[in-house]
Amino acid sequence: MLVGASACGRGGSDKASGEDAKATGKPSASVSPSPTKPAGPPMLLETITPQTGNTVGVAMPISVVFTDPVAAKARATVEKRMKVSASQPVAGAWHWMGDRRADWRPKAYWPSGTKVKVDVDMKGVGNGNGRYGVRDYTHTFEIGDDVRADVSVTGHTMKVSRNGKVVRTLSINAGSAQYPTWNGTMAVIDKQEKLHMTSCSVGITCDKGNPDYYDLTLPWDVHLTQSGTYVHYSTGDPTPGSGSARGSHGCVHLSLSDAKWFYGQVKQGDPVTITGSPRAKAPADNGYAAFNLTWDQWLAGSASGDQTTATL
């Protein structure tokens, strides 16, 4: 789970943090002896996402976060030691989001039903800054049903499809002119049945007398960006749609029944694509928005170029 602001708003793009490659996780191998290369402080992984055993959506990248910066000169070697295997061949590539996070995404969405394994073997690998890896990690996960949500800001609708067939079209309200919603495709980060949201947490206002101030616990929250974008129900906008045309602080509002239904349909990695907003596309590292970059842009951030997965 990415740790981000728990509110709708215009916060910036923080780095991803995920949650499952810390010492408390269950990597496939135990700590190894010191590497044969020059001794130095260890290079460790902070997180690998998705977690082992999870079923995720077709837009989910593999996201690896290191505890310390990886120098540009070391990234090609590091990428080659992060092997992606799949039950069917998939073209993809690594891309660096700064110097601590590397994501692997397929060129197009994952095919549903694909089983995926990532082996991150850092034993003896240097980060170019005097640190060397001391262990390896293995994560396995599966791609579930192809569930997508397409949001039209100007049309006040969200069209939800499963495996290519439209399931329902829902009424929505998106951000106001002052607080527009991000455009682009954002893979679901996580979801919570109830979430405490405040205007102060995303820098809108901490002044209780300000009309934009809010401090609410709201239900059926589907998390799209670290900067605070959610699809959810809002007590301040109970009947969203073109008739009400009431703008949010950047989130996508659904009615209570629709929000509960949508919450039950989506999972981590399902793509939510928003169009018609005056705002730019969400940056690729603002959550899991990898598909907001073209393939050429994605490859420009790779040290080893495109590749095809090994056979699982």
Side-chain angles (χ1 to χ4, degrees), residues 185-268:
T185 297
M186 292 145 277
V188 171
I189 297 171
D190 55 35
K191 58 184 185 177
Q192 290 180 249
E193 289 189 13
K194 291 183 180 180
L195 187 68
H196 184 209
M197 295 186 171
T198 70
S199 57
C200 193
S201 69
V202 289
I204 293 175
T205 181
C206 298
D207 177 7
K208 293 182 179 180
N210 190 302
D212 284 314
Y213 177 84
Y214 58 89
D215 187 339
L216 301 166
T217 298
L218 298 171
W220 313 121
D221 305 285
V222 176
H223 193 187
L224 300 185
T225 69
Q226 280 183 276
S227 60
T229 308
Y230 289 81
V231 178
H232 68 129
Y233 169 73
S234 173
T235 53
D237 189 16
T239 56
S242 58
S244 64
R246 185 170 183 173
S248 72
H249 288 89
C251 288
V252 175
H253 288 169
L254 296 170
S255 70
L256 183 59
S257 60
D258 285 350
K260 183 177 181 180
W261 177 85
F262 182 68
Y263 182 94
Q265 299 298 308
V266 295
K267 59 191 173 297
Q268 183 185 48

Side-chain angles (χ1 to χ4, degrees), residues 111-133:
S112 292
T114 305
K115 293 178 172 58
V116 185
K117 178 182 178 183
V118 56
D119 293 293
V120 182
D121 182 5
M122 292 291 105
K123 288 182 295 205
V125 178
N127 71 350
N129 292 313
R131 292 180 177 271
Y132 290 87

Side-chain angles (χ1 to χ4, degrees), residues 45 47-50 61-66 75-85 90-98 100-107 110 116-122 137 139 141 290 293-309:
L45 270 62
T47 58
I48 301 175
T49 308
I62 299 165
S63 188
V64 178
V65 180
F66 295 84
R75 291 175 193 170
T77 299
V78 169
E79 286 180 26
K80 290 175 183 177
R81 297 291 287 271
M82 299 191 295
K83 179 183 176 182
V84 181
S85 305
V90 178
W94 291 99
H95 177 98
W96 289 84
M97 313 279 193
R100 291 181 58 243
R101 174 182 170 185
D103 283 13
W104 194 98
R105 58 154 268 205
K107 185 175 181 179
W110 294 99
V116 185
K117 178 182 178 183
V118 56
D119 293 293
V120 182
D121 182 5
M122 292 291 105
Y137 310 79
H139 281 224
F141 59 95
L293 296 181
T294 67
W295 187 238
D296 286 343
Q297 289 172 329
W298 189 260
L299 290 178
S302 176
S304 57
D306 55 356
Q307 56 188 253
T308 298
T309 55

